[in-house]
Amino acid sequence: MSTTTLVVVIVIAAVVVLALIATLWLSARRRHLRDRFGPEYERTVQQEGGAMAAERDLRAREQRHEELDIKELPAERRREYAEAWSDVQEHFVDRPENSVAEADDLVTRLMDERGYPTAEYEGRLRDLSVEHGRTLDHYRAAHDVKVRSGGGRATTEELRGAMVHYRALFEELLTDQRSR
């Protein structure tokens, strides 16, 4: 075998190995994002028009999340929030629309105290998606009903469903431990 042939074979082998490594690395990164973001991964792929753009967006969310000072609450504050949630639920029978608004406010206050920015709804979704991607659809559904209820366009059953959706995120935020 000539030297030129040997060099060509080595170069081709190196290119194949590098391509294999790159493929495995991209696959591992994609698997990590799918695992971390859950259903939010597919939603972002559809929203961004492809996996590459979605993964860029999700990695940016992870980087932003790393800069946040997310903290767990002391047991006493968790107990106070749990009591506040019970109060909101008790008010539902007499004032369902007000209770949904109170539930939204309570979830937002809990997020704020934990360290999540709460300035605008879309930002809250992005920030929550990093650690709470599996309950984000609950938050979206509850928020949608809350918005519609402001105009009197939500049924009592939809309001009840919104309370269930808010509770899913509320409980996850309340019991989430930073050990992940």
Side-chain angles (χ1 to χ4, degrees):
M1 183 178 290
S2 72
T3 307
T4 306
T5 306
L6 185 59
V7 169
V8 170
V9 169
I10 290 173
V11 168
I12 290 172
V15 168
V16 169
V17 168
L18 289 175
L20 183 60
I21 290 171
T23 301
L24 291 173
W25 181 76
L26 288 172
S27 176
R29 186 174 68 176
R30 180 166 287 161
R31 189 172 35 258
H32 160 76
L33 292 171
R34 282 181 192 262
D35 291 346
R36 182 156 202 189
F37 286 91
E40 188 66 12
Y41 178 90
E42 291 303 326
R43 174 185 290 277
T44 307
V45 168
Q46 289 178 349
Q47 187 176 16
E48 294 293 326
M52 296 293 275
E55 289 171 7
R56 250 190 323 273
D57 179 56
L58 295 173
R59 283 192 311 278
R61 292 183 198 188
E62 282 182 319
Q63 289 171 348
R64 174 177 159 73
H65 191 271
E66 288 297 317
E67 296 170 4
L68 300 176
D69 184 24
I70 307 298
K71 53 196 165 293
E72 69 179 80
L73 298 178
E76 177 63 21
R77 288 299 292 148
R78 287 195 310 267
R79 187 184 59 72
E80 290 169 6
Y81 272 105
E83 289 173 3
W85 182 262
S86 292
D87 291 344
V88 168
Q89 283 184 295
E90 287 175 16
H91 298 150
F92 183 82
V93 173
D94 297 325
R95 306 172 314 190
E97 288 181 348
N98 289 349
S99 293
V100 168
E102 289 174 18
D104 181 75
D105 181 59
L106 187 60
V107 166
T108 302
R109 283 188 288 143
L110 175 57
M111 287 172 56
D112 183 57
E113 190 167 340
R114 294 273 324 270
Y116 288 97
T118 58
E120 48 104 17
Y121 174 69
E122 290 300 323
R124 282 180 265 167
L125 288 174
R126 283 188 304 276
D127 292 334
L128 284 170
S129 71
V130 177
E131 289 192 7
H132 305 284
R134 286 173 174 42
T135 53
L136 218 47
D137 282 340
H138 287 288
Y139 187 46
R140 281 187 178 98
H143 181 77
D144 178 58
V145 171
K146 178 197 162 251
V147 168
R148 287 188 295 111
S149 76
R153 297 183 320 263
T155 66
T156 302
E157 185 60 25
E158 288 172 322
L159 294 168
R160 185 198 65 73
M163 291 295 291
V164 171
H165 289 306
Y166 275 125
R167 184 176 61 218
L169 178 60
F170 177 82
E171 288 177 349
E172 188 170 296
L173 284 167
L174 194 62
T175 59
D176 182 43
Q177 301 299 311
R178 297 296 300 156
S179 61
R180 292 194 234 182

